[in-house]
Amino acid sequence: MRIHARRSRLLASAAVSALLALPLTALAAVPAQAATAAHPFPTHTTYKVGVLPSASQSARDTAVEKQYDAWKATYLVHGCASNEYYVSTKGDGDAPNNGPVSEGQGYGMNIVPLMAGYDANAQTEFNGLWQLVKDHKDADGLMQWQLDGKTCNYTDTGTPDSATDGDLDIGYGLILADKQWGGYTADAKAWLASIYAHDVASDGHLKCEDDGPSTDTRPSDHMLDHLRAFAAYDTAHDWNKVVTRTEAVDSAFSAAYSASTGLLSDFVVGANTSSPKPAPADYQESQPDNIVGYNSIRVPWHMGTDALLNGTTTAATAYALATKESACLKAEAGGNPQNVYPHTKLNCTPYSTGDQAEEAGDSVGPAAMAAGDQAWTDAIWKQLATNPFGDGYYGESIKTLVYVVMAGDYWNPAAAGAPADDFSVAVSPSAGTATAGSSVSATVSTSVTSGSAQSVGLSASGLPSGATASFSPASVTAGASSTLTVTTGSGTPAGSYPVTVTATGSSGTHTAAYTLTVTAGGGTGCTAGQLLGDPGFENGSNPAPWTQSSSLGFAPVTASSSDEPARTGGWEAWLNGNSTADTDTVAQSVTIPAGCTASLSYWLHVDTTENTTTATPDTLKVQVLSSTGSVLATLHTYSNLDHATGYVQHSHDLSAYAGQTVTLKFTGTETDGNGGTTNFVIDDTALNAA
């Protein structure tokens, strides 16, 4: 497995090698195609949310044309074969002799179709870019990720493989070309089939490369606008599954590690679980892969673009993350895009201020637009006209695409003659337990993934003998939810059963998996008891079955001290109180027996130095999560305003979750916005079933 796209700025690589032998002037050697552009530049688009830069539309169009001319003259190269073109990595040294990488080839295959109409040779150039891809495929039918600039031979070690970001952008470029000129349908669908077969894990999340593990992902690959276009264009594969799983991974990660900032680390491990987490340092590349780096600086661009094109309902996850990312990075930079640092911690403080790159600030532009921040949008638009740090192909290619988006000229191929309406379906929790003769419930949610909402009918299959399923209501309008109730008979055999929930609409059928576990009925009802393990945190520094996390790296479960004494025993869970922005969590998964009533209780001590009677910069959320990590309920939110002398006991009724496995989670978030600090100290928890 190769390591993808090492940035020379980060790794202090040697100076850029000599320019290619085949100059850009050779472009004229291949005649232009005659096809008429269906969406000639400028194609003025009305986005579904947000603001545009304050500059006039004509000024914005002119700025894009100027940037495109400069990008094309510097980076679009005719070679290695007479009918091939590639995007040179000049200025970054990502390939020998300034050769192409699949990531850059994908950028080019997006840029050129968008500029058709302005560039009379756009289709010829696109065909040459695509020809190079076809001439350099790996065993899975995807582009070899790194080629020499003179020979176009594969240059990385080991068996040639691909990179998911390049694969996705190449696929999106083929769809753009098909909607722009026509004639690329077969190529586009064959390419998307290869991506689905090799870059998509079985649960639907995106892998980092076609031959890589199925446990990790790279958030900069989470191009949700691309995935929605794939779903509309390629109905032979369940791209809505990929959309739903990608959104779930990003939401779960952010909830645990960047609840207030929305930032996603360069690499994520455990992407096939309900608890994805930052990869360790140097996981894929020689840098701190557990923070925002030269990969994830692209996330605000991708999230913002999805929100702009698809709106706050269809793109709810992207919109929520883009809005948070825009706000935190604006604060980090003090409103100056040059001070958005390429290496940023997940709490939105700089990891290093010694490294700066224009593309870090440029990429925030679409997120700032989606968030409706006019001043921040205008500041980033102004920076686009400059290159203060001398960025090479990577920054200048990103800038060109961001320019098109910010100018209001980025049109949506999913809305250009593709099937307009589609939806997704999910079940939460994805598993439940019922004693024979009893029932268990779950929520079936639907979402509009493209176009307009449609009526969706619900059914279930795979039930054991004696069991029935009902939905309330039995049909919904996409975007709404229904309650699934599975009722077992007294003679239903004990065991675990995979149940398929099927949702049928006018655009097609989608499914979601639910696992039903049936236990033997004893006729004695609920077995009363306290269900939590280590309820007083007395297991100490290894508090299993509790899990814990801190964005600052401090373990919340700590020994009692004179500053914050435990209520009983020698240990407690102490969240926040570090006088800096921080997110801390403690959580435990527990199964509540069917037929029981259940009550969660805990003792909480809140003290604070915040000097306010109205603002709540510091909060503690008490939540119930499903087995997949989605929030089923927020039981209560405490804040610095709840400070009190000593511990106070609180309780919540959890009877509604009987028969289910849920996670109880305490999340403390401190913004450090007012200069004070707040301590949330928890002890002597209990979950009593009766």
Side-chain angles (χ1 to χ4, degrees):
M1 181 179 68
R2 54 89 190 106
I3 297 175
H4 167 64
R6 302 170 180 85
R7 304 282 164 239
S8 61
R9 185 189 308 279
L10 174 63
L11 299 180
S13 63
V16 178
S17 50
L19 295 179
L20 302 173
L22 293 172
L24 186 63
T25 54
L27 290 173
V30 179
Q33 300 292 317
T36 301
H39 305 275
F41 183 89
T43 299
H44 299 152
T45 302
T46 300
Y47 296 139
K48 293 187 176 182
V49 68
V51 298
L52 290 165
S54 297
S56 69
Q57 182 66 68
S58 61
R60 297 198 301 268
D61 295 341
T62 299
V64 174
E65 293 168 355
K66 180 179 179 182
Q67 170 62 21
Y68 175 70
D69 289 342
W71 174 85
K72 177 179 170 180
T74 307
Y75 302 107
L76 190 58
V77 174
H78 184 203
C80 295
S82 61
N83 61 345
E84 291 179 351
Y85 297 85
Y86 67 74
V87 176
S88 167
T89 55
K90 178 182 177 182
D92 282 306
D94 280 356
N97 296 310
N98 297 326
V101 293
S102 60
E103 170 189 310
Q105 203 73 357
Y107 292 152
M109 290 177 68
N110 280 226
I111 292 169
V112 171
L114 291 168
M115 297 305 296
Y118 172 72
D119 182 354
N121 292 320
Q123 191 176 13
T124 296
E125 294 152 2
F126 180 86
N127 288 343
L129 290 165
W130 173 226
Q131 187 64 49
L132 183 131
V133 173
K134 290 189 291 184
D135 291 344
H136 298 88
K137 291 182 180 180
D138 67 6
D140 293 331
L142 299 166
M143 182 181 170
Q144 299 172 6
W145 83 275
Q146 184 190 62
L147 305 176
D148 182 272
K150 290 184 178 179
T151 64
C152 283
N153 292 332
Y154 182 70
T155 62
D156 199 9
T157 58
T159 302
D161 61 353
S162 77
T164 299
D165 54 356
D167 298 340
L168 295 171
D169 271 329
I170 291 168
Y172 193 72
L174 286 166
I175 297 176
L176 285 171
D178 201 31
K179 299 303 178 182
Q180 186 70 280
W181 300 297
Y184 299 87
T185 305
D187 283 341
K189 290 190 174 181
W191 187 265
L192 296 182
S194 294
I195 296 177
Y196 198 90
H198 302 292
D199 287 341
V200 177
S202 60
D203 69 338
H205 82 263
L206 290 167
K207 299 158 53 180
C208 295
E209 58 272 313
D210 56 355
D211 66 347
S214 296
T215 56
D216 60 10
T217 191
R218 179 171 46 189
S220 57
D221 297 345
H222 297 182
M223 308 169 196
L224 287 162
D225 68 309
H226 289 22
L227 298 177
R228 294 187 214 281
F230 296 173
Y233 188 88
D234 175 28
T235 56
H237 300 91
D238 193 358
W239 289 102
N240 287 314
K241 175 182 177 181
V242 185
V243 171
T244 299
R245 184 58 191 157
T246 299
E247 292 176 328
V249 169
D250 290 345
S251 296
F253 181 97
S254 178
Y257 299 100
S258 59
S260 63
T261 68
L263 299 179
L264 306 176
S265 60
D266 267 11
F267 291 91
V268 169
V269 295
N272 59 327
T273 73
S274 61
S275 301
K277 60 183 180 180
D282 302 320
Y283 176 72
Q284 285 266 27
E285 301 181 357
S286 301
Q287 62 162 317
D289 290 339
N290 55 343
I291 64 170
V292 174
Y294 274 92
N295 284 289
S296 278
I297 58 170
R298 298 174 286 183
V299 170
W301 160 34
H302 293 314
M303 294 296 173
T305 300
D306 184 41
L308 291 170
L309 290 181
N310 297 297
T312 58
T313 300
T314 299
T317 298
Y319 175 74
L321 291 174
T323 301
K324 292 178 181 178
E325 290 159 358
S326 173
C328 82
L329 293 170
K330 178 182 180 181
E332 175 191 60
N336 180 357
Q338 292 187 24
N339 292 333
V340 177
Y341 296 103
H343 292 89
T344 296
K345 299 176 185 177
L346 297 180
N347 65 0
C348 211
T349 57
Y351 175 84
S352 169
T353 58
D355 181 30
Q356 290 179 280
E358 178 201 358
E359 61 258 29
D362 290 350
S363 293
V364 186
M369 292 169 64
D373 191 331
Q374 189 68 63
W376 186 219
T377 296
D378 288 345
I380 297 170
W381 175 261
K382 183 178 179 181
Q383 175 177 273
L384 292 179
T386 70
N387 189 353
F389 307 114
D391 291 350
Y393 110 89
Y394 183 65
E396 288 298 291
S397 298
I398 290 173
K399 175 200 285 187
T400 304
L401 284 163
V402 170
Y403 242 136
V404 177
V405 175
M406 294 192 72
D409 291 314
Y410 194 79
W411 51 276
N412 185 357
D421 302 340
D422 208 351
F423 67 94
S424 63
V425 63
V427 182
S428 181
S430 60
T433 301
T435 303
S438 66
S439 62
V440 63
S441 296
T443 298
V444 179
S445 58
T446 62
S447 298
V448 177
T449 55
S450 63
S452 302
Q454 59 187 286
S455 179
V456 176
L458 302 170
S459 61
S461 59
L463 295 164
S465 62
T468 60
S470 62
F471 296 86
S472 180
S475 65
V476 297
T477 300
S481 298
S482 176
T483 299
L484 163 66
T485 301
V486 179
T487 303
T488 62
S490 58
T492 299
S496 182
Y497 303 94
V499 177
T500 299
V501 174
T502 300
T504 304
S506 59
S507 66
T509 296
H510 299 292
T511 61
Y514 178 78
T515 302
L516 170 68
T517 300
V518 180
T519 58
T524 58
C526 173
T527 300
Q530 198 287 115
L531 305 178
L532 291 179
D534 191 23
F537 306 102
E538 296 306 315
N539 287 348
S541 58
N542 183 19
W546 293 100
T547 61
Q548 57 182 328
S549 70
S550 170
S551 59
L552 293 178
F554 301 119
V557 176
T558 186
S560 176
S561 69
S562 58
D563 292 331
E564 293 292 343
R567 179 177 175 271
T568 62
W571 292 79
E572 64 201 9
W574 181 353
L575 283 67
N576 306 125
N578 294 300
S579 299
T580 189
D582 180 27
T583 299
D584 294 344
T585 70
V586 290
Q588 183 174 151
S589 179
V590 61
T591 300
I592 303 175
C596 291
T597 60
S599 176
L600 170 68
S601 64
Y602 50 90
W603 291 82
L604 173 65
H605 175 214
V606 181
D607 62 15
T608 186
T609 60
E610 296 284 359
N611 185 22
T612 176
T613 59
T614 57
T616 57
D618 309 325
T619 60
L620 173 71
K621 288 185 178 180
V622 184
Q623 295 177 312
V624 181
L625 278 60
S626 72
S627 58
T628 61
S630 60
V631 176
L632 299 176
T634 297
L635 302 175
H636 198 84
T637 300
Y638 302 95
S639 74
N640 47 284
L641 301 183
D642 294 302
H643 62 89
T645 302
Y647 284 85
V648 177
Q649 189 176 33
H650 304 273
S651 63
H652 310 283
D653 185 5
L654 299 187
S655 301
Y657 305 101
Q660 301 181 35
T661 298
V662 297
T663 296
L664 306 177
K665 187 173 184 179
F666 298 86
T667 302
T669 303
E670 182 166 349
T671 65
D672 199 33
N674 290 2
T677 191
T678 303
N679 305 287
F680 298 103
V681 186
I682 304 163
D683 203 1
D684 296 334
T685 65
L687 178 55
N688 291 308

